Amino acid sequence: MRVAIAGAGAVGRSIAGELLENGHEVLLVDKAPTAISVERVPQAEWLLADACEITSLDEAALQRCNVVIAATGDDKVNLVVSLLAKTEYGVPRVVARVNNPKNEWLFNEAWGVDVAVSTPRLMSALVEEAVSVGDLVRLLRFSHGDANLVELTLPEESALAGTQVGDVEWPQDTSLVTIIRGTRVLTPSREDSLEAGDELLFVAAQAREEQLEDLLSVRRQDAG
């Protein structure tokens, strides 16, 4: 997979390193000469250019990229890069960094963004996730379809503890994608049973989040 990253700062270089380790081709683009640190990520391609300029993106051959990541520290730049990548070059997947949470509402399909990653929101979500059991925590927002990646740790008193995945009537427009049980990461099948303490990751429509939280957190009712 070929990935272009606009912004060769600490965030962009870190992403590039991870992608290269996983065998992907990476191009880092930045207009600041001081950001071009080839020795820090020598396996990547580097381009000194303004990612907001069509001529620069032509030089980067953006039409050959499977993914574009707008990872600069400027939300305006990230929006322009996302829009150009999607509308001018037809890049299948555009991921954009949100620096100011007040700008999150702009990072959507209209601006070519498929996935918006808000660092402040993600950090606060991870703090919530670390201390919350039985509460739904939103980790990531997908622009297309108004869906989110959400997490909930199944509490001891949940009525679903011990229930097989296939026997649960999940809300519409939700999908259980991963069960984290201790150090294990499980791809759920219909026969897998839910256990108290499981971290459950869902892709869910925002309108279904409250319904999903109620389902997972419901307490057992006394018989009779």
Side-chain angles (χ1 to χ4, degrees):
M1 184 170 68
R2 182 170 175 79
V3 182
I5 302 174
V11 173
R13 293 195 306 269
S14 178
I15 296 169
E18 292 284 340
L19 291 171
L20 287 163
E21 285 185 11
N22 290 327
H24 302 295
E25 298 178 37
V26 176
L27 169 66
L28 280 159
V29 182
D30 205 298
K31 68 178 182 179
T34 54
I36 304 301
S37 304
V38 178
E39 69 282 358
R40 295 193 179 185
V41 194
Q43 307 96 324
E45 299 175 44
W46 289 78
L47 178 62
L48 176 61
D50 186 345
C52 292
E53 296 288 342
I54 289 288
T55 53
S56 300
L57 300 181
D58 284 343
E59 188 177 354
L62 223 64
Q63 69 279 1
R64 292 178 44 222
C65 293
N66 306 100
V67 180
V68 165
I69 302 173
T72 79
D74 188 325
D75 285 344
K76 296 187 295 295
V77 171
N78 291 342
L79 285 170
V80 171
V81 170
S82 298
L83 185 62
L84 291 175
K86 184 67 70 174
T87 59
E88 297 295 324
Y89 298 91
V91 177
R93 192 73 164 168
V94 177
V95 179
R97 172 187 176 188
V98 185
N99 297 279
N100 187 339
K102 292 180 180 179
N103 296 329
E104 280 187 23
W105 66 278
L106 288 166
F107 286 74
N108 56 32
E109 185 177 354
W111 279 94
V113 178
D114 295 305
V115 180
V117 181
S118 172
T119 304
R121 182 177 293 278
L122 183 57
M123 291 181 68
S124 64
L126 291 173
V127 170
E128 291 180 42
E129 187 272 336
V131 300
S132 302
V133 174
D135 294 328
L136 202 71
V137 178
R138 189 179 300 165
L139 298 177
L140 194 65
R141 179 175 63 82
F142 300 98
S143 296
H144 290 305
D146 192 30
N148 299 311
L149 178 67
V150 298
E151 183 272 352
L152 185 141
T153 300
L154 199 67
E156 291 281 349
E157 66 271 17
S158 172
L160 294 186
T163 304
Q164 289 188 335
V165 171
D167 293 335
V168 180
E169 292 188 21
W170 301 108
Q172 190 176 6
D173 302 323
T174 67
S175 178
L176 175 62
V177 293
T178 303
I179 300 173
I180 301 175
R181 182 172 296 157
T183 59
R184 300 173 61 200
V185 178
L186 308 175
T187 301
S189 68
R190 292 183 56 85
E191 292 74 30
D192 284 322
S193 294
L194 301 174
E195 296 182 7
D198 283 350
E199 292 184 51
L200 308 177
L201 271 66
F202 295 85
V203 173
Q206 187 168 332
R208 303 292 181 182
E209 289 180 3
E210 185 175 350
Q211 185 179 353
L212 181 62
E213 183 173 26
D214 289 344
L215 173 68
L216 293 167
S217 301
V218 66
R219 297 174 180 273
R220 298 181 185 277
Q221 301 296 318
D222 292 332

